[in-house]
Amino acid sequence: MIRKSEICLRTVPSRFAVCTAIAFLFLSVGTTRAADCGNGVTLRLSAPETGQGSLLLATLRSAKRLSEVTGKWNELAVPFWEDPLLKGMEKKQSVVAGDVWRALLGVDLEKPAGKYQFTVSAPIRTGETLSCTVSVEVKEGHFATESLTVKKQFAEPDPEQLARAQAESKRLREIYEHVTPEQLWKGKFRLPLDGDFKGSNFGRRRVLNGKPGSPHSGVDFPAPTGTPVHAAQSGRVVLAEELYYAGNAVIVDHGLGIYTLYCHFSEMDAKVGDIVSAGTVLGKVGATGRVTGPHLHWGLTVERAHVNALDIVKLLGGK
Ligand SMILES: [Zn+2]
């Protein structure tokens, strides 16, 4: 189907900063959308609309080699990476891919529903930058509410405990605000547990000991204490310590603003500064911090947006 939509593509003589809207075409193929950006460049999102706490994959293809591609989403720069794997796959299928670049867009769990724009730009020749904008509709998430009973100190922390928890959440925000410019991973993201463990509960609104808590920003995998927890992909360990709510927790920086978080370990096998591979054991499942029983809490943050970690396995996937 080809129809007009809110795609604006324009060639911007960067020195004069004059934007000339030329035309727009919008291709809708199943649940994906592609924008023809002109100059042999197309931009495709993994879904035309999305929900709170979701991840979108943007793929930009160019007939000619591009020296760089950058995006803007949530008022933040979105780094793209070149995808040699995809190029290889497409060559096999006899599709001429040209240059392929990809980026992840995080839709924060608490981002208000509405229409937002994702803009991509790339220099195409001296003094000229191609700019392409696609509209993304964010729908309100429908998350169940559940009532849990936890130790009193986690539902009603005293002022000292509260101050500790607030200082820790500020530190986590500071970690997530840092975007490592290099891509520290290659290939697929995997689930953090081997075997048949199922992750769920993302986004649930929680009532703790009768009081409303914040939405659940991770995926919980109930598993026996001692079950090994594996890094979802390669990266650098940037936090490995006991936190008030998260218990023994590890954060891996995968580069390009992508971080995975693993909580409630009984034992930690990683330390800050470790360079890990996909599958490296970071620790063992436990019940430290605010829990109702042994489980792994697995979180994913992409350019500061808290999103469902299972989405990265679906989009860049494989177990
Ligand atoms: Zn959890």
Side-chain angles (χ1 to χ4, degrees), residues 206 216 220 264 295 297:
R206 292 190 148 173
H216 184 243
D220 287 337
H264 311 306
H295 72 282
H297 171 108

Side-chain angles (χ1 to χ4, degrees), residues 21 89 102 105 108 128 168 171 177 189 244 265 302 312:
M89 280 163 52
R102 309 188 103 183
L105 308 187
D108 189 78
E128 253 186 280
E168 288 173 354
R171 268 186 61 215
E177 277 170 16
F189 276 69
Y244 188 69
F265 286 164
V302 175
I312 204 165

Side-chain angles (χ1 to χ4, degrees), residues 193-217:
L193 298 182
D194 283 334
D196 208 15
F197 299 106
K198 295 271 179 293
S200 62
N201 285 352
F202 177 80
R204 282 209 172 173
R205 271 46 184 171
R206 292 190 148 173
V207 179
L208 301 169
N209 300 6
K211 295 192 170 175
S214 47
H216 184 243
S217 60

